Amino acid sequence: MEATQNVTEFILLGLSQNQVLERFFFVLFLLIYIVNILGNFLIIVTIKNSESLKSPMYFFLSYLSFVDMCLSSSTAPKLMADLLTEKKTISFTGCMAQLFFSHFFGGTEMFLLTVMAYDRCIAICKPLHYTTIMTRRVCGWLVIASSVGSFLHSIVQTLLTSQLSFCGLNEIDHFGCDVYALMQLACSDTYIVSIMVIANSGMMSLICFVVLMVSYLVILISLRTHSSEGHRKALSTCTSHITVVIIYFGPCIFIYLRPATTYSEDKMVTVFYTIITPILNPLIYTLRNKEVKNAIRNLWSTRVTSRGNEK
């Protein structure tokens, strides 16, 4: 398919045409972005510097925090900058780059969440074999596999979109470069591309979601033999984890597991899984964890003590 490109830049219509509402969104997203970056960075530093957080679970959590920072950074800075300007534009190359990185980090997050559920499943269902199964080498390969799988997903998505022909229409009814929004502007046949997007993004989201739900179901069934107190704590943890999974995977399935159509709700749904969800992961996966909170306190007290001794 030979692409015809008469478009060198796209005009983004953004979240709203109301300037007052745009200023409100700017302040809100700026606060969320700052908390996201600081919160996830604190978790990475804490896990790296704490001897008590060397298990595979925290190894994966540190990478999840890094991916959360990158996922939010692939869209949030451009979105916030556009909220302060009247004309919102992005070059064709910049659009494809944003599309690639948002799908790359989004896909990596999906795979990491699935790997983390597998890790918890092994830890609870086969505790005696856990250390021999989830070695440092295996954990490293699982992270690499998540990144490679996401790269393949993202490069396919980007190449398919870049091969579309754009003959003049360049107004994207979105705040970023979304596949389906771009397909609405194409002057070439998008049927095959839309099928590929469903197979690539939609099915990947659905399969990962089903695997995650099955993993947590297996965990909950295995915990029935534990004490009532242990079962209650595990149930509380699994419920919070499942909540994050639904919040993240729900929007992805809603957007990509359907024909190539766009809805007005797509903008807020995209905001939810690219900006809101990355801030929920540090809150639910780590800050509700006693070991992490104790490690943060110890790290903070150690830094304060060392500074006091220097003075």
Side-chain angles (χ1 to χ4, degrees):
M1 180 168 55
E2 187 176 346
T4 303
Q5 306 300 357
N6 294 329
V7 173
T8 58
E9 69 174 15
F10 294 101
I11 298 173
L12 303 171
L13 298 184
L15 287 175
S16 172
Q17 302 301 313
N18 187 314
Q19 290 189 352
V20 176
L21 194 58
E22 284 189 329
R23 298 298 185 271
F24 168 76
F25 280 141
F26 172 78
V27 175
L28 177 64
F29 293 151
L30 179 61
L31 292 174
I32 292 174
Y33 183 68
I34 291 173
V35 172
N36 171 29
I37 297 298
L38 293 179
N40 282 299
F41 182 73
L42 175 62
I43 289 167
I44 294 171
V45 172
T46 301
I47 292 175
K48 184 178 180 180
N49 291 279
S50 177
E51 291 299 324
S52 62
L53 303 179
K54 296 302 181 184
S55 67
M57 179 179 71
Y58 298 112
F59 174 78
F60 293 130
L61 279 174
S62 63
Y63 277 95
L64 181 66
S65 292
F66 173 74
V67 171
D68 277 332
M69 293 168 62
C70 295
L71 174 61
S72 184
S73 298
S74 67
T75 55
K78 172 62 177 171
L79 169 59
M80 290 186 292
D82 285 344
L83 288 170
L84 298 177
T85 59
E86 185 175 345
K87 188 177 181 181
K88 307 166 179 59
T89 61
I90 185 170
S91 66
F92 182 87
T93 303
C95 187
M96 293 302 109
Q98 186 185 69
L99 184 68
F100 172 81
F101 286 112
S102 61
H103 277 271
F104 173 68
F105 292 116
T108 304
E109 176 137 346
M110 285 186 184
F111 291 132
L112 276 177
L113 289 171
T114 308
V115 165
M116 289 168 63
Y118 169 75
D119 171 67
R120 290 297 83 208
C121 201
I122 296 295
I124 293 171
C125 299
K126 294 186 176 181
L128 298 179
H129 300 90
Y130 178 67
T131 54
T132 56
I133 296 175
M134 298 301 294
T135 62
R136 194 76 173 180
R137 182 183 178 86
V138 170
C139 293
W141 277 112
L142 286 172
V143 170
I144 292 173
S146 298
S147 301
V148 171
S150 181
F151 174 82
L152 294 175
H153 150 73
S154 184
I155 198 68
V156 167
Q157 195 92 315
T158 306
L159 288 175
L160 285 171
T161 308
S162 65
Q163 288 304 304
L164 293 172
S165 296
F166 299 97
C167 307
L169 295 175
N170 68 338
E171 284 192 349
I172 303 177
D173 188 15
H174 212 285
F175 64 84
C177 290
D178 178 71
V179 178
Y180 283 160
L182 285 167
M183 288 172 67
Q184 302 301 311
L185 306 180
C187 55
S188 56
D189 184 19
T190 61
Y191 177 75
I192 295 177
V193 177
S194 65
I195 295 299
M196 292 297 292
V197 170
I198 292 173
N200 185 31
S201 295
M203 291 307 298
M204 185 183 82
S205 303
L206 183 61
I207 291 171
C208 288
F209 178 74
V210 171
V211 170
L212 277 161
M213 291 297 101
V214 171
S215 299
Y216 283 118
L217 181 61
V218 170
I219 290 172
L220 292 175
I221 292 174
S222 301
L223 286 170
R224 289 187 303 175
T225 57
H226 289 60
S227 64
S228 57
E229 179 65 19
H231 185 269
R232 185 188 63 80
K233 289 182 179 179
L235 182 62
S236 175
T237 301
C238 284
T239 301
S240 60
H241 288 193
I242 290 171
T243 301
V244 170
V245 167
I246 292 174
I247 289 174
Y248 184 76
F249 282 87
C252 295
I253 294 172
F254 169 76
I255 290 177
Y256 296 112
L257 200 64
R258 72 181 194 215
T261 55
T262 57
Y263 300 109
S264 58
E265 295 84 2
D266 287 357
K267 297 179 186 180
M268 294 313 298
V269 169
T270 305
V271 166
F272 218 75
Y273 78 84
T274 58
I275 297 178
I276 305 299
T277 304
I279 201 176
L280 294 179
N281 284 335
L283 293 174
I284 292 179
Y285 279 93
T286 54
L287 297 184
R288 293 181 75 251
N289 185 303
K290 288 184 178 179
E291 287 183 320
V292 175
K293 288 192 289 187
N294 289 334
I296 291 174
R297 292 193 193 98
N298 292 336
L299 180 65
W300 181 258
S301 61
T302 301
R303 293 290 174 88
V304 171
T305 302
S306 62
R307 286 181 180 179
N309 292 334
E310 288 176 1
K311 292 179 180 181

